[in-house]
Amino acid sequence: MSSDVTSIGPATPAPEPAVPAASGAPAPTILVVEDDPEVRTFVAATLDAHGYAHQSASTGREAIALAATSAPDIILLDLGLPDIDGIEVVRAIRVWSVVPIIVVSARSEDADKIGALDAGADDYVCKPFSVGELLARIRAAERHLAMATAARAGAAGVAGAVTSGASVPGTAPVPAAAPASAPAPAVFRDGGLAIDYAAGVVTLDGTEVHLTPIEYRLLCLLSRNVGKVLTHRYILDQVWGPHDDPAAGRGASGRPAGQAGDLATLRVYMGSLRKKIERDTAHPRYIQTHVGVGYRMMSV
């Protein structure tokens, strides 16, 4: 076996010449999803040696949560995870994210590769793999990121020219937008929904909506993160405080463990909140559920 193949052992992989990130941008943050601690340590050491920031997850659900809350730039994903199959992780992340996903798996059958790529993976590397190959796949993902970033910047430049009244072919000047440094509005508006943060008042189509304190905190948390998927655990920690410690018998907030701030409680309150702000709870406009992950406030 070649010395640069992933033969797992105590030795740290020898550094290769670092490759600067595309277009001089900072090196991306990489989420390593791998349940085998030796492989995970090997990959992490390889990334460290080449200047990449990284996070790690050992289960599919942990990977989905980190992808939602930490927004990594690239994901290295094993398929054989202990709780859910890696292909299900790909499908779950693809609900809201286009982050490059590189599958790194011992499964080498065409059916596995096709299934992963059809589910939304961007690349597929079979174990055992060489360090050089893995780094080349990461660099390819970086190039894709750089191109996507440049495309977004170009679109933003066109939009900026339009809002400033500059002449852009095929467009008409419009009033200039508010400066980026403008303070956040004291009143949140989304369709017919309005939240006056200072007064603590919520209205729907001009009519005041009476919410419980927890419902109001849930709505404010979602409204301050429009378009972002907030995981169940993140919402629970933000609204009810740090999660309970069963070993100690009490949570960090002093509540008896298991009595408040659990997933079932969150679902009850979210259902109650939806009944008050959604015209049709079967087809919600404002609060979207991401099954197994959390919730997202939509821009109406």
Side-chain angles (χ1 to χ4, degrees):
M1 182 179 293
S2 172
S3 61
D4 66 342
V5 171
T6 56
S7 175
I8 305 303
T12 299
E16 296 180 6
V19 177
S23 303
T29 297
I30 300 175
L31 173 59
V32 180
V33 187
E34 171 63 63
D35 66 322
D36 186 323
E38 291 185 334
V39 176
R40 194 167 62 245
T41 298
F42 177 88
V43 173
T46 298
L47 296 176
D48 281 334
H50 292 83
Y52 290 104
H54 59 84
Q55 299 173 305
S56 64
S58 58
T59 69
R61 291 186 176 85
E62 183 184 5
I64 293 169
L66 278 173
T69 58
S70 300
D73 298 301
I74 298 171
I75 297 177
L76 301 181
L77 174 67
D78 184 24
L79 296 183
L81 300 172
D83 53 349
I84 56 177
D85 190 82
I87 290 179
E88 295 306 315
V89 176
V90 174
R91 290 195 182 106
I93 292 173
R94 281 292 174 257
V95 170
W96 79 88
S97 175
V98 294
V99 59
I101 299 176
I102 304 172
V103 171
V104 183
S105 175
R107 301 179 191 174
S108 58
E109 297 295 326
D110 284 349
D112 295 310
K113 297 176 184 178
I114 293 169
L117 294 169
D118 281 347
D122 298 274
D123 204 348
Y124 198 106
V125 180
C126 290
K127 299 176 182 177
F129 56 85
S130 70
V131 168
E133 179 187 10
L134 181 63
L135 292 172
R137 306 287 185 135
I138 291 173
R139 290 195 295 272
E142 286 185 78
R143 288 193 292 272
H144 296 160
L145 282 173
M147 288 187 289
T149 300
R152 287 195 298 269
V158 171
V162 172
T163 56
S164 65
S167 176
V168 177
T171 64
V174 296
S181 59
V187 178
F188 169 83
R189 299 186 186 281
D190 189 12
L193 180 68
I195 308 170
D196 186 329
Y197 295 122
V201 174
V202 176
T203 58
L204 183 64
D205 297 329
T207 301
E208 185 173 352
V209 179
H210 298 283
L211 303 178
T212 67
I214 287 182
E215 290 169 350
Y216 180 73
R217 293 211 299 270
L218 283 171
L219 185 60
C220 287
L221 179 64
L222 290 165
S223 69
R224 294 183 188 278
N225 294 277
V226 173
K228 298 179 182 178
V229 179
L230 305 185
T231 66
H232 297 130
R233 175 49 57 195
Y234 179 81
I235 296 172
L236 290 169
D237 287 349
Q238 294 297 311
V239 174
W240 279 275
H243 67 277
D244 296 329
D245 180 3
R250 302 185 74 82
S253 60
R255 297 188 311 272
Q259 287 193 5
D262 59 11
L263 185 54
T265 302
L266 173 59
R267 286 172 175 156
V268 169
Y269 276 103
M270 198 63 75
S272 175
L273 174 60
R274 274 182 164 148
K275 289 179 182 178
K276 295 179 180 181
I277 67 169
E278 300 284 5
R279 296 187 181 90
D280 181 0
T281 55
H283 302 89
R285 301 171 65 214
Y286 294 109
I287 302 175
Q288 183 181 74
T289 298
H290 288 263
V291 178
V293 182
Y295 301 92
R296 172 169 59 167
M297 172 73 83
M298 304 299 293
S299 179
V300 176

